[in-house]
Amino acid sequence: VVGVMVLLMATSMWLINQRITRQVQAEAAEQLATADAVLNHIQKLRMDSLLTSFRKVESEPLFKAHAALFDPNQEGFSETAQKTVRNFLNTLIRDKFAKVIMVAPLEGPRLTVANDAWLSTDEFEAACTNLAATAINLGTTAGVVRNGDQLLDVVAVPIRLRDEVVAAFVFGVEDTMADDVRELARSEVLLFADGKPVVTTARERELAALLSGQLASVASANPGKIEKLTLNEEHFLALGGSLKSAHAASQLSYVILSSYEKPLRVLRETQQLIVIVSLAAIILGITIVWIYVRRVTEPLEDLREHTEAIGKGDFTRRVELNSWDEFGDLAEAFNHMTENLKLSRQQLETTVDSLKATQAQLIQSEKLSG
């Protein structure tokens, strides 16, 4: 009985664990898919918003006036014009128009100003060269580039002078896509550039530091495939994908992590509770079975002892009537049988004594007649 109860408990636990774990993983996978859709939608909205916001720059007189400083007879801006344009860019930076701004004339050196010392103007110029050329040839365009350990959303706007494009202004603004996705989809988002994690929050830095190799593989080798990862005994589902980089030589990718540790922790706590309750039930069941078995075996043992005593000729034994169930009926029948056997033996003994007396009389009569 105990073995059956333990087997049933173990089977139930296994079935519950399998079913709930699959359900938890399915919900985490669904959350991942939602976060992935949110990420791509947010990226599209950000690009559309950038294009909408900065497209008007092309027609603003202030930008046209500074573009007019470009001397078509020279390669780029003159030294005086460069100073004026640089002051203009610094004013835009101080007004938080963008984090970094570059002016790319058709020919000649580019001018780039950034609001943070860690932003590399040389790296920004190299990353946005193709974007500026696209803007000059096709019109306002937007994209994403890497600068140091950060991603920047960039938009390039062509500036015309007398209906001719003379330069392109390229604006770099902070990319908050990861934070937006994390806020909306409640999932961790890690961005990678050329296999190197690009992070913005402490949580992402921790994940990137501990899982950078695995996550980079998820981002590049298995885009769109959900994989299971474990970090510091915390369970995650990971989904990778790629971002369109404005710099052809740079590969941008992302990994979305969805933790299902909390529901697993609840599952483990539930399992512990089930184990405790099951053990209590098993102990209670064992006690009840033991009591029932004792209730069954004690009358039988008592009956066996009385049977052995009767077999040895002791007809004084009687089985006590402790219940009115089948054992009580059996005890009453046994006592009747014992009483009948006693009476039968007494009658038999009386008959034997009578026969012995008769036999003795016969023997005596034969002796007298002889």
Side-chain angles (χ1 to χ4, degrees), residues 57-58 63 67 70 77 85 89 101-107 109-112 124 128-141 155-160 164-171:
V57 168
E58 181 180 350
F63 284 89
F70 173 75
F77 296 103
V85 172
L89 296 181
I101 304 176
M102 178 182 74
V103 179
L106 291 177
E107 295 182 4
R110 295 177 286 271
L111 297 178
T112 305
F124 185 79
C128 295
T129 299
N130 293 335
L131 194 73
T134 301
I136 290 172
N137 295 321
L138 301 177
T140 302
T141 186
V155 56
V157 181
I159 301 299
R160 291 176 171 80
E164 292 185 5
V165 177
V166 295
F169 277 76
V170 182
F171 305 94

Side-chain angles (χ1 to χ4, degrees), residues 24 28 203 229-237 258-269:
V24 167
R203 174 63 169 168
L229 299 174
T230 303
L231 168 63
N232 287 348
E233 299 182 355
E234 184 174 356
H235 295 78
F236 292 89
L237 291 183
S258 178
S259 173
Y260 57 98
E261 187 62 31
K262 287 184 179 180
L264 279 183
R265 191 177 299 118
V266 173
L267 172 60
R268 287 192 287 268
E269 292 174 355

